[in-house]
DNA sequence: TTATTTGCAAAGAATTTGCAGCAGT
DNA sequence: ACTGCTGCAAATTCTTTGCAAATAA
């Protein structure tokens, strides 16, 4: 389904800014934060504001177009891959990559132990990536 | 081992403020954030500043006296229980409770898939606690 | 037309820092 | 005495918000 269609279906208008933000993050494996998305857009959309990026990402997160990562040490990062998976961040270079991991079992375990209704899971690792390890 | 001893062993001085902060968090199951710790201390230590709480917690985290949780939506929260375990936060009342969970297998899985050296794991869930569920 | 959205600038929340005086070792 | 610590206020960082002008439906 096209992003324009998804926006319309959810009652949001289709604007050049939203399409541009979507282009910047779709299949972007670097898990950018708002600032990074803003910088990607600067050359082609110099009038786009950081506030618009934040507002757009909030909408995208709400309608399930992106996933918000809590693993970053600093700011939120966004992932166009919305299937359940974990992340690992390199403590040296801060890159974030995806880890495939079944979360169903963990979810059940959490529900049983706590008595909570579990609505979300976030699994994140930190470590040193192969490239940074080589350098030192 | 006494907190005073741990501080000294790590080259930090033992001060009334640090002891007070330790008292406030030790066996405190509420996973307080810096602001909450500050408020706990106010009645007995009115001169203690929020900045000191932050500085102290940073040291405590570094020397392994507490664990920093990334699961809170807003601010960092601290846990005196430094053994590996997960957390679940209630989306309504924001309470955070512990979940026992073996993380060794997940760690290995992450290491294998990514090639990273894994230094840390953080597993957090969100959901609705039994009390809040009852209310609605 | 009309409700949304944009972009600016300003506010806000959480956290960190500089520094002068104070205190543990 | 020496070095590190405290507490204040100010700075920083990330994010949100109010509002007038612009724009999609």
């Amino acid at each position: 389904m096209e992003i324009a269609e998804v926006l319309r279906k959810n009652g949001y208008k289709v604007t050049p800014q939203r399409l541009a933000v979507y282009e910047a993050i779709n299949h972007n494996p670097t898990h950018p934060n708002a600032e990074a998305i803003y910088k990607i857009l600067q050359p082609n959309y110099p009038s786009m504001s950081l506030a618009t990026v934040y507002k757009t990402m909030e909408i995208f997160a709400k309608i399930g177009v992106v996933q918000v990562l809590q693993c970053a040490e600093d700011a939120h990062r966004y992932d166009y891959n919305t299937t359940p998976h974990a992340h690992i961040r390199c403590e040296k270079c801060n890159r974030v990559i995806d880890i495939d991991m079944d979360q169903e079992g963990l979810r059940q375990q959490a529900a049983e132990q706590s008595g909570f209704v579990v609505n979300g899971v976030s699994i994140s690792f930190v470590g040193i990536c192969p490239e940074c390890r080589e350098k030192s």
Side-chain angles (χ1 to χ4, degrees), chain A residues 15-24 37-50 52-53:
Chain A
T15 67
Q17 288 89 341
R18 288 176 181 168
L19 298 177
V21 169
Y22 184 72
E23 279 311 306
I37 295 167
Y38 177 65
K39 284 196 180 133
I40 291 168
L41 295 169
Q42 285 281 60
N44 295 315
Y45 303 86
S47 76
M48 161 102 48
S49 79
L50 186 56
T52 299
V53 175

Side-chain angles (χ1 to χ4, degrees), chain A residues 12-101:
Chain A
Y12 295 105
K13 294 189 173 169
V14 178
T15 67
Q17 288 89 341
R18 288 176 181 168
L19 298 177
V21 169
Y22 184 72
E23 279 311 306
I25 53 151
N26 191 32
H27 296 99
N28 177 335
T30 64
H31 304 82
N33 58 17
E35 190 72 36
I37 295 167
Y38 177 65
K39 284 196 180 133
I40 291 168
L41 295 169
Q42 285 281 60
N44 295 315
Y45 303 86
S47 76
M48 161 102 48
S49 79
L50 186 56
T52 299
V53 175
Y54 274 108
K55 288 170 185 167
T56 303
M57 294 314 292
E58 195 183 338
I59 290 170
F60 282 1
K62 196 180 297 174
I63 65 182
V65 169
V66 296
Q67 179 175 179
V68 181
L69 311 195
Q70 271 105 45
C71 75
E73 197 147 65
D74 41 2
H76 289 169
R77 288 178 177 226
Y78 303 97
D79 195 340
Y80 69 92
N81 178 356
T82 56
T83 61
H85 64 282
H87 297 94
I88 184 163
R89 176 174 58 84
C90 175
E91 291 172 310
K92 296 261 189 217
C93 66
N94 275 307
R95 95 179 57 191
V96 174
I97 71 165
D98 292 345
I99 307 276
D100 288 323
M101 193 164 272

